[in-house]
Amino acid sequence: MSKKVMFVDDSKTIREMLDFTLKGAGYETLQGEDGVDALQVLGDNKMDVIITDLNMPNMDGITLIKKLREHPVHRSTPILVLTTESQTEKKMEGKQAGATGWIVKPFTPDKLLATIDRVII
Amino acid sequence: MTDMDQFKRTYFEECGELLGDVESTLSEMRDAGATADGLNAVFRGVHTIKGGGGAFGFEDLVTFAHGYETLLDMLRDGRVDCTTEIVDLLLRANDIVAGLVGAAESGESLGEDYGADIKSKIEAAISGDAPSDAAASQVDVPQNASSADDGGIKTYIVEFIPNLDLLQNASEPLLLIRQLGSLGEIVSEVIADKVPSLDELNPEEVFLTWRFILKSDCSEEEIREVFEFVEDDCVLKISVDSEVVPEAAEDSEPEAVESTPAADVEPKVAQVKTAPPAGQAPTKAPAVSSMRVDLDKVDRMVNMVGELVITQAMIQEQLRNSTVEMSAELERGLEDLTHHTRELQESVMAIRAQPVKSVFARMPRLVRELSETLEKEVKIVTSGEDTEVDKTVVEQLGDPLMHMIRNSVDHGIEMPDDREAAGKPREGTVHLSAEHRSGRIVISIQDDGAGINRERVLGKAREKGLIGKNDVLSDEEIDNLIFHPGFSTAQTVSNVSGRGVGMDVVKQNIRNMGGRINIDNEPGQGTKFSLSLPLTLAVLDGMVIGVGEEIYILPLTNIIETLRPVEKDVNALVGCFDVLSIRGEYVPILYVRDVFGIKNAKQDITKSLVVLVETEDSKKIGLVVDEMLGQSQVVIKSLEANYQAIHGVSGATILGSGRVALILDVIGLSDLIGSQSDQKNLEKLVVTKSKSNDDIVAEDRTQVV
């Protein structure tokens, strides 16, 4: 049974690349454009991992993570944040909000899949 | 076009939009002053352009955007004042980004010093105004100290003491262990002495600590990397066990190593209070909690278990029938064998079972896209996603379900204005649910739309000649017309549904899986489609019945009761079928012997048995059979794959005796008498069969009537 990944990013490019990479690796995917959209798309569908950008319109990644951690279905779902290398404090902020880990941008498909493997059972 | 080209095209399109947005925001800010929201939006735009640029390796663009972004970040934080000059600088920086994006798109080079003046102005703005923070963006390049690592295999002792709340962020110790195990040979030991009594135990807290002995040629840095995400949520002690490293000095002074900096990996003896001496074989790592198996392998196993079940039944039957006296041991052995085979079969089936979630999860997006295309407001509510069913069923469910959801959104849910006029909320709801019900899975798709317009369906069916001009149909029959091939009531053919190849294909798909569709239509209030599907397509609990010398299997789920009829309860409907009165309810009965043309079957109905069965769409019929031979779990063999489809038969199986028995398809049988249009069929069928054993049947008829 294929694992399910949701990713949330306001950039269509990133979404398409994530989608391509993940589907190619046999994952099922859900996409969200921002926090609000993500919550709506997600509903009660349990994911195996949720990947989110931090800086997004409508609802940013930190708020999204906090909401997910309060959600009865998603509170124990691994969450990875997308950060850039310079943003050490962002990693920590994400972690404090409830993120499980992070993926540093830009990333290669291998790195992405390896990082997902680290948090997904 | 390669995928990469496709991504690039998306990227450049996106850049175009973003650059436009950034420019208009900046222009606004120049006129009306800077706002936090505005700066945020600009930062986001530049950040996205930079992120994508990095993915495609546009170095110039990334380098420039990085400085630009840093300045924006400082403006956001108020570390740099957002003066008109700065906004102007940002606007010009934006032009440079646009130029760089354009160059990246066309593949031309703009030269080293393109935008250099703006770049230096940005750098000046960054360093000039807030020198102390300027370095912030430069930190965090981890010193990849390759340490004193000479490439030889070392024995590390890694102590992992998670904080109680490690699980809060969905971190999973097992995964860490698995990953650590991938570095080399690992022996792990769980220290559970901190686990409190059950009533004090909070299942969301970690009370365990771990101690690993890792033999690997990796560096300590690599070990630390495994725990990168949980660095702040645990205490991690790493040391090198000198006892096992031959070249290590005989350092007799034990020393506990507290999260040492990366470079510090000189061999040290660990002091671990609770640990037994290394080498005294602690338990092997429970590293893997799940594994991926090729589906073919599982299927092969399912098949073999199926054969095993048959063989087991065969042995049992042969022994029972043989003259050899069975000893108590043999009897018990046989019983155990039966029990174990059954259990084995269930476990194998459980491997293939998976929640319908994977199919359900695709639906919200579908509904969103559809409602956008159709300009409707529709939300989807799902429930019972965890209901498990065989993988094959899950896989085959996707298409029909998508079709039905599409149908509900397209044909069921009305336009928002119409809904409002009808006193309903503007937003329509499609409820998708799954549940287990008496050995089957029932999936329902319920919408609160307009329901099926029976008049229109009827009109359309007449117009298309699907039914006769004067046929009188019940509401239920009208509703079911939508499953007729070539039927579509959509006013215009939309690209969503309505090509008339929808619902009949859906019904066919579902029937092929041994499933049924039921429509619950309330005009004005909505429609509910219920799919009832078997949990597995591989085995079936059945009742073995005998008719003449033939043996058939009747699915247990269909059987309501069995009775021996009294003559006065059996009545013939002229020219149609016989009916049996059961506690005041008339149920049509079908002689199995007639359906399959079996000779030597009992002709006197009072000596036969009537098995009262119910189809998934709640039609009841009585099947007249000679005898019940017992209950048995059978492995379904496809008839189509081995022979051809036969109406009234859903498959075949091999019995313990080695005989092949057909599995009766109750709905197929009920179709023979079920709908009015099919009654002539039955008559014909009954007549032809009757001819074959004319006299006896004639005699029988008179008796019965």
Side-chain angles (χ1 to χ4, degrees), chain A residues 43-110:
Chain A
D44 283 345
N45 294 312
K46 190 143 174 62
M47 293 287 117
D48 290 294
V49 64
I50 298 170
I51 302 172
T52 177
D53 192 20
L54 287 177
N55 201 338
M56 296 179 293
N58 294 327
M59 185 197 290
D60 65 15
I62 297 293
T63 317
L64 174 65
I65 295 169
K66 285 182 183 155
K67 289 213 185 270
L68 289 173
R69 283 289 172 251
E70 286 163 10
H71 194 286
V73 176
H74 309 300
R75 54 189 298 249
S76 58
T77 304
I79 302 175
L80 292 171
V81 294
L82 294 167
T83 65
T84 42
E85 203 147 349
S86 59
Q87 295 172 303
T88 315
E89 66 285 358
K90 288 285 176 197
K91 290 179 192 169
M92 290 310 132
E93 204 186 324
K95 189 84 210 206
Q96 257 158 29
T100 315
W102 49 82
I103 302 174
V104 176
K105 288 195 283 191
F107 47 80
T108 61
D110 286 348

Side-chain angles (χ1 to χ4, degrees), chain B residues 323-335:
Chain B
T323 47
V324 182
E325 197 165 321
M326 294 241 277
S327 67
E329 281 79 23
L330 186 58
E331 191 86 47
R332 203 166 47 238
L334 261 185
E335 241 162 60

Side-chain angles (χ1 to χ4, degrees), chain B residues 129-424:
Chain B
D129 290 73
S132 60
D133 286 310
S137 62
Q138 310 288 347
V139 296
D140 181 45
V141 181
Q143 219 56 43
N144 219 352
S146 56
S147 72
D149 188 358
D150 54 2
I153 302 236
K154 289 200 201 77
T155 300
Y156 291 99
I157 294 177
V158 181
E159 257 193 290
F160 172 48
I161 306 161
N163 295 351
L164 282 183
D165 59 359
L166 178 86
L167 302 180
Q168 295 298 312
N169 286 8
S171 299
E172 175 54 60
L174 267 181
L175 291 169
L176 299 170
I177 298 168
R178 185 170 75 186
Q179 219 191 338
L180 192 64
S182 71
L183 292 176
E185 196 183 317
I186 189 174
V187 175
S188 76
E189 180 192 354
V190 181
I191 301 154
D193 56 357
K194 283 188 216 141
V195 178
S197 64
L198 197 57
D199 49 338
E200 285 168 39
L201 185 129
N202 178 349
E204 297 193 349
E205 289 178 345
V206 194
F207 298 98
L208 300 174
T209 60
W210 282 267
R211 180 176 182 271
F212 309 103
I213 299 168
L214 175 70
K215 284 186 190 165
S216 167
D217 57 355
C218 69
S219 66
E220 182 176 330
E221 194 55 44
E222 282 173 82
I223 297 175
R224 278 191 191 284
E225 236 166 57
V226 170
F227 296 93
E228 183 191 9
F229 292 160
V230 293
E231 209 176 358
D232 296 342
D233 304 327
C234 70
V235 175
L236 187 66
K237 298 177 188 175
I238 302 175
S239 57
V240 176
D241 188 347
S242 60
E243 276 174 41
V244 197
V245 182
E247 67 268 26
E250 256 180 65
D251 191 349
S252 58
E253 194 189 325
E255 185 182 344
V257 184
E258 281 282 343
S259 301
T260 50
D264 188 3
V265 272
E266 263 112 48
K268 280 178 185 159
V269 178
Q271 182 192 51
V272 187
K273 278 177 225 143
T274 45
Q280 216 179 46
T283 48
K284 191 82 186 147
V288 188
S289 62
S290 77
M291 58 186 274
R292 291 177 189 204
V293 181
D294 197 29
L295 193 61
D296 280 348
K297 288 186 186 163
V298 177
D299 284 346
R300 217 155 49 222
M301 188 155 80
V302 171
N303 259 333
M304 286 319 294
V305 170
E307 298 296 334
L308 181 66
V309 170
I310 292 172
T311 316
Q312 173 263 323
M314 210 180 286
I315 292 176
Q316 193 161 27
E317 181 140 340
Q318 294 300 325
L319 277 173
R320 290 261 149 78
N321 295 338
S322 73
T323 47
V324 182
E325 197 165 321
M326 294 241 277
S327 67
E329 281 79 23
L330 186 58
E331 191 86 47
R332 203 166 47 238
L334 261 185
E335 241 162 60
D336 283 353
L337 180 64
T338 313
H339 183 71
H340 293 324
T341 351
R342 179 94 190 194
E343 223 161 68
L344 176 63
Q345 189 171 30
E346 271 166 19
S347 340
V348 172
M349 289 305 160
I351 296 178
R352 286 186 52 96
Q354 57 174 234
V356 292
K357 212 186 293 169
S358 57
V359 179
F360 277 24
R362 305 215 295 262
M363 301 306 158
R365 185 148 204 101
L366 176 75
V367 169
R368 257 163 34 101
E369 281 168 5
L370 280 178
S371 45
E372 261 170 44
T373 317
L374 297 164
E375 290 169 357
K376 290 182 181 178
E377 292 169 27
V378 189
K379 71 168 176 205
I380 183 163
V381 181
T382 56
S383 59
E385 300 95 326
D386 289 326
T387 315
E388 286 195 339
V389 67
D390 189 85
K391 188 175 162 56
T392 325
V393 178
V394 174
E395 278 164 2
Q396 295 181 15
L397 198 57
D399 282 348
L401 214 53
M402 230 142 98
H403 245 104
M404 298 183 73
I405 298 260
R406 230 179 244 152
N407 182 73
S408 289
V409 176
D410 194 9
H411 300 308
I413 306 279
E414 316 90 323
M415 296 304 288
D417 290 345
D418 296 343
R419 288 182 63 86
E420 211 162 33
K424 297 184 189 175

